[in-house]
């Protein structure tokens, strides 16, 4: 009986162990990672280095201390932002009551130092510096009070010098007692892996620090992650035993190098001048010096205005051509779900970009919802002109974070990027051991991961690229390609085709956002050039061509490339198969014309057929009883009709049907840029409809994407209605005392009636500011009594936006504290504002512009709009024929008379007044159009 009981207990324990094998907070099972490491425990990233370019990495957090084999996890740290830079100065010795002090009189720095207790100096030259807590008052961590004593006035002094053993050392007053004699010596991090924390009164220390000494620049650079983003990414890529709870990242055996590119005193941890470029150059240097494969993981980027044409993408193309064995994983961007939303530098052909997936088990255990399937997260950026993302990877996870961070569950393509980097680490760890004499080119590794991914039929190629990443499939394909010698025959290609939305009508893919003009007679061409990756001028290769879509006819069945002679592949859309509005995608695969049938290159074609609005449907369309699954999307492409200037979108449900709904919509413009996200329509809350108006939209094809909210418990049923109106003003001159009337016309074929009102909101002016790479630009300004607030908005040209990796801005108060922060995601759309506090007659502030040029010798011209808002808007009288209402008949001019008073103020001599005229529905009193109006006095 005892034996039986023992066996039962053993069985239960083994069953429990088996049940706990699949971790659910950071998904490893569905991508094959869990089984791969079970089958090959020594291929867990050992012998590889993942270089994390981010906000920093906290090397003191459980999960980032050791690798799976017991080695130090983080082996090098560097800060390229300047956030951690602390200058030091010559220190003089003085004695007071028998105690020795080192200090600098000019800087008023002083600290006690028992020289006998320190490592001997090589020349008795000592230097002193300081790290003030106030340096972090604008940190995104909110951790300026490092010692937890309730004040941010503390200053921590440090002594720097060269030792008798010919290395430099720092003694840092970590306990804040004014004496460095009781501290341990600290060296450059990669020399001795010295990590440290400032002693705290109570609770966990917010940050782990390290440092690097730069004697030639008289500075110590303190390294820390006060943004938490980089630490989270590092844990996903390579965490081992996170939280001492047995949770692992993808490649727990890999080492990490942390390169800080985001300055966390600036909005969102923005990059600064050349920080991204310098980090890549350092990573390039490391990858050439060390024998281990080096994989960059960079979850940073901004929206792409002209895909693959930015200065950063050009820099990366050159760098990665010259070093084809530096592997680069980046996030594809969080600007989805609209197509043509891949970010910068994700659009580059030379990097590997990942979209984000919410794994079923993570949805269940981290977010409390039982999804029927893994889903692509709504925000994940999609492709269009470029073939991005390369794949989709888990993009929601629990991971490592610094102690100051309240939550450790993040999601984003920022999380998918390190996941893919971890998969690269596993594959390179395996190939090193199985094929020690073979170096895998980065582009070949990317190709293997793309081709081995699991393609999800419920999504398009623009959503997922190659599909859902799978390391087991990739491992088998990698072995197959190497055994067949494909790494010796591997060639890369550049491809271009017709894309009329691009400045030169060309992009990597055939991309026609408005296919309504197609007649069926058009023939489009792809141009394919080899990039001579194999470094052989003599080249001849034939290819078989095949498409996966019946709507795109291939003119050729085969093609070839001889030496540097390009190939051309012609395609013809079949108009008869493009009758219904929607998104049409096609992939053309070119395989080598030999026994191997090796896939050489791919071409993508996308044509959008939009819904058309005209007099035949009264510029209105409705889709009833539509259904969207949980976490899934449905797309509607809308062609803005000529003459429109107001679009109403209504997402609704039939309350009487009692059908479930928990959904919302996203609106993207003709360039794929997100315009709006609606509130969620939720039947449990008895919501009946979500209705929004959009005014003065830029012409083109807009995309409405209805999203089945990821927390929905079942599929959502909804109605979608889109309606346009036409209220066009003739001319746009400011109103004056002598010219205070406007003329309107309705270009549509249906009369529309409105109630009229108006108001003057404030004053504004527009001007240019030149910003260069010398640093941040600070512009002082004053807010005075009678002014409620001041707002600044910014815009760059597409050409100038291509010069930066970020462009951020903030408003500082008189103490230097940031009161409002923001940044440009695209070239326009960002603003910052400040209000005058109650009881104050005036406040002094500084507007700080923070460029992040790829090269610091660049400059941009910033268009600034500055607005001053009144404490209360001033009413403006709007009448037609003496009445506060008007009916706009088709193609009939109507004159509105406007009366306004000059504000009683003397502060706005060089500004123009601004306000709005409101056109309201007589039945609902809802504003159906807002006409912007300017005033001159």
């Amino acid at each position: 009986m005892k034996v039986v009981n023992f066996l039962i207990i053993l069985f239960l324990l083994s069953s429990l162990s088996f049940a706990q094998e699949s971790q659910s907070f950071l998904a490893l099972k569905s991508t094959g990672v869990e089984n791969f490491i079970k089958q090959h425990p020594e291929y867990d990233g050992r012998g590889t280095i993942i270089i994390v370019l981010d906000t920093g990495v906290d090397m003191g957090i459980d999960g980032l201390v050791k690798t799976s084999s017991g080695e130090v996890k983080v082996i090098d740290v560097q800060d390229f932002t300047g956030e951690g830079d602390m200058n030091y100065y010559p220190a003089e010795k003085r004695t007071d009551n028998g105690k020795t002090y080192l200090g600098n009189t000019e800087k008023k720095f002083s600290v006690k130092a028992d020289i006998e207790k320190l490592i001997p100096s090589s020349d008795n030259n000592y230097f002193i510096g300081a790290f003030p807590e106030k340096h972090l008052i604008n940190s995104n961590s909110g951790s300026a009070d490092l010692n937890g004593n309730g004040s941010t006035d503390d200053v921590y002094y440090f002594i720097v010098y060269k030792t008798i053993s010919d290395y430099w050392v720092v003694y840092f007053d970590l306990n804040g007692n004014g004496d460095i004699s009781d501290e341990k010596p600290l060296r450059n991090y990669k020399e001795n892996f010295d990590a440290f924390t400032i002693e705290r009164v109570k609770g966990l220390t917010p940050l782990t620090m390290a440092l690097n000494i730069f004697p030639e620049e008289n500075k110590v650079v303190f390294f820390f992650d006060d943004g938490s983003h980089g630490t989270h990414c590092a844990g996903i890529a390579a965490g081992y035993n996170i939280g001492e709870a047995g949770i692992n990242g993808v490649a727990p055996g890999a080492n990490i190098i942390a390169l800080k590119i985001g300055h966390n005193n600036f909005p969102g941890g923005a990059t600064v001048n050349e920080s991204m470029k310098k980090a890549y150059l350092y990573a390039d240097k490391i990858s050439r010096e060390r024998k281990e494969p080096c994989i960059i993981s960079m979850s940073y980027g901004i929206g792409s205005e002209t895909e693959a044409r930015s200065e950063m993408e050009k820099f990366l193309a050159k760098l990665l051509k010259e070093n084809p064995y530096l592997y680069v994983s980046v996030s594809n961007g969080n600007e989805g779900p609209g197509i043509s939303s891949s970010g910068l530098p994700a659009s580059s052909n030379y990097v590997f970009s990942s979209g984000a997936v919410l794994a079923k088990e993570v949805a269940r255990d981290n977010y409390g919802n039982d999804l029927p399937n893994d889903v692509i997260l709504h925000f994940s950026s999609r492709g269009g002109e470029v073939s991005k993302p390369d794949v989709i990877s888990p993009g929601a996870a629990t991971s490592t974070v610094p102690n100051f961070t309240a939550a450790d569950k993040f999601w984003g393509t920022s999380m998918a990027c390190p996941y893919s980097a971890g998969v690269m680490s596993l594959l390179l760890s395996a190939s090193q051991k199985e094929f020690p004499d073979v170096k895998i080119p980065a582009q070949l590794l990317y190709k293997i991961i793309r081709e081995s991914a699991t393609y999800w039929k419920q999504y398009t190629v623009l959503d997922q690229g190659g599909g859902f990443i799978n390391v087991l499939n990739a491992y088998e394909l990698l072995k197959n390609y190497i055994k067949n010698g494909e790494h010796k025959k591997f060639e890369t290609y550049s491809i271009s085709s017709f894309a009329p939305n691009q400045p030169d009508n060309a992009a990597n893919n055939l991309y026609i956002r408005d296919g309504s003009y197609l007649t069926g007679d058009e023939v489009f061409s792809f141009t394919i050039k080899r990039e001579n990756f194999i470094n052989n001028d003599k080249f001849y290769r034939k290819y078989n061509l095949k498409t996966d879509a019946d709507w795109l006819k291939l003119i050729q069945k085969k093609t070839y490339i001889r030496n540097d002679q390009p190939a051309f592949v012609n395609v013809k859309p079949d108009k008869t198969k493009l009758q219904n509005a929607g998104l049409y995608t096609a992939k053309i695969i070119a395989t080598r014309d030999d026994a191997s049938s090796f896939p050489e290159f791919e071409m993508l074609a996308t044509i959008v057929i939009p819904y058309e609005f005209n007099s035949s449907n009264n510029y209105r369309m409705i889709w009833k009883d539509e259904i969207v699954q949980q976490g899934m999307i449905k797309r509607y492409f809308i062609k803005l009709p000529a003459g429109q200037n107001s679009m109403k979108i209504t997402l609704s449900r039939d309350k009487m049907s009692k059908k479930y709904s928990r959904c919302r919509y996203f609106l993207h413009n003709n360039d794929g840029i997100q315009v709006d996200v609606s509130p969620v329509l939720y039947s449990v809350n008895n919501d009946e409809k979500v209705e929004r108006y959009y005014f003065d939209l830029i012409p083109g094809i807009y995309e409405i994407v209805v999203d089945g909210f990821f927390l929905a418990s079942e599929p959502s049923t909804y109605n979608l209605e889109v309606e346009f109106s036409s209220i066009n003003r003739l001319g746009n001159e400011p109103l004056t005392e002598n010219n205070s009337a406007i003329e309107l016309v309705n270009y549509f074929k249906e009369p529309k009636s409105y109630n009229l009102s108006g108001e003057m909101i404030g004053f504004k002016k527009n001007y240019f500011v030149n910003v260069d790479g010398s640093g941040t630009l600070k512009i002082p300004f004053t807010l005075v009594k009678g002014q409620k607030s001041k707002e600044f908005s910014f815009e760059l040209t597409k050409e100038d936006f291509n010069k930066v990796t970020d462009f951020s801005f903030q408003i500082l108060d008189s103490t230097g504290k940031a009161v409002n922060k923001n940044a440009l995601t695209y070239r326009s759309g960002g603003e910052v504002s400040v209000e005058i506090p109650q009881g104050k007659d005036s406040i002094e502030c500084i507007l700080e512009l923070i460029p992040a040029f790829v090269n610091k010798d660049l400059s941009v011209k910033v268009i600034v709009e500055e607005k001053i808002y009144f404490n209360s808007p001033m009413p403006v009288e709007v009448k037609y024929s003496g009445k506060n209402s008007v009916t706009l008949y088709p193609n009939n001019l109507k004159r509105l008379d406007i009366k306004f008073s000059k504000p009683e103020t003397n502060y706005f001599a060089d500004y123009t007044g601004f306000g709005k005229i409101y056109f309201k529905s007589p039945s609902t009193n809802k504003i159906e159009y807002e006409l912007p109006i300017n005033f001159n006095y």
Side-chain angles (χ1 to χ4, degrees), residues 106-224:
E106 182 181 348
K107 292 293 178 180
K108 298 181 181 178
F109 292 173
S110 180
V111 69
K112 192 187 301 181
D114 186 343
I115 303 297
E116 298 301 318
K117 292 182 179 180
L118 309 183
I119 298 173
S121 167
S122 64
D123 53 11
N124 288 320
N125 287 324
Y126 297 91
F127 303 88
I128 188 169
F131 190 109
E133 286 184 336
K134 284 192 179 297
H135 181 68
L136 298 177
I137 61 169
N138 290 325
S139 169
N140 300 311
S141 67
S143 298
D145 181 13
L146 293 172
N147 61 9
N149 67 354
S151 166
T152 57
D153 294 327
D154 297 295
V155 179
Y156 305 92
Y157 294 101
F158 59 87
I159 296 298
V160 192
Y161 63 94
K162 188 176 182 181
T163 69
I164 197 169
S165 300
D166 207 34
Y167 61 83
W168 284 76
V169 72
V170 168
Y171 284 87
F172 191 23
D173 186 18
L174 296 174
N175 58 18
N177 66 355
D179 187 351
I180 54 95
S181 310
D182 56 358
E183 302 292 351
K184 293 180 179 180
L186 302 169
R187 296 175 60 179
N188 290 331
Y189 181 79
K190 66 180 178 181
E191 295 174 6
N192 206 44
F193 304 139
D194 291 327
F196 53 91
T197 59
I198 288 174
E199 189 173 300
R200 194 164 175 85
V201 174
K202 63 179 180 179
L204 297 172
T205 182
L207 304 168
T208 307
M209 293 184 170
L211 57 80
N212 292 299
I213 309 162
F214 295 88
E216 67 280 3
E217 300 178 52
N218 296 322
K219 71 180 180 182
V220 173
V221 178
F222 290 87
F223 182 94
F224 46 89

Side-chain angles (χ1 to χ4, degrees), residues 677-695:
V677 183
S678 80
V680 173
L681 177 74
Y682 193 17
S683 57
V684 174
N685 291 342
N686 291 317
D687 297 337
E688 291 189 42
K689 66 179 179 179
V690 172
E691 184 176 273
R692 290 204 170 183
Y693 288 83
Y694 303 91
F695 309 129

Side-chain angles (χ1 to χ4, degrees), residues 820-834:
N820 201 342
K821 300 180 177 184
N822 207 343
L824 293 178
T825 301
Y826 290 93
R827 68 184 185 91
S828 62
E831 62 276 327
V832 284
S833 62
V834 62

Side-chain angles (χ1 to χ4, degrees), residues 659-728:
K659 291 180 180 178
Y660 179 87
S661 184
R662 196 174 187 182
C663 59
R664 59 184 169 178
Y665 70 80
F666 293 75
L667 178 64
H668 292 256
N669 71 13
N670 191 67
D671 292 323
I673 298 172
Q674 191 177 113
V675 174
D676 193 25
V677 183
S678 80
V680 173
L681 177 74
Y682 193 17
S683 57
V684 174
N685 291 342
N686 291 317
D687 297 337
E688 291 189 42
K689 66 179 179 179
V690 172
E691 184 176 273
R692 290 204 170 183
Y693 288 83
Y694 303 91
F695 309 129
D696 301 318
L697 297 174
I698 299 169
I701 308 301
Y702 280 60
E703 181 182 3
I704 301 171
V705 187
V706 177
D707 165 48
F709 197 59
F710 79 102
L711 291 178
S713 59
E714 57 184 280
S716 294
T717 301
Y718 65 91
N719 304 318
L720 178 68
E721 182 180 357
V722 179
E723 182 177 6
F724 290 95
S725 298
S726 173
I727 306 174
N728 287 270

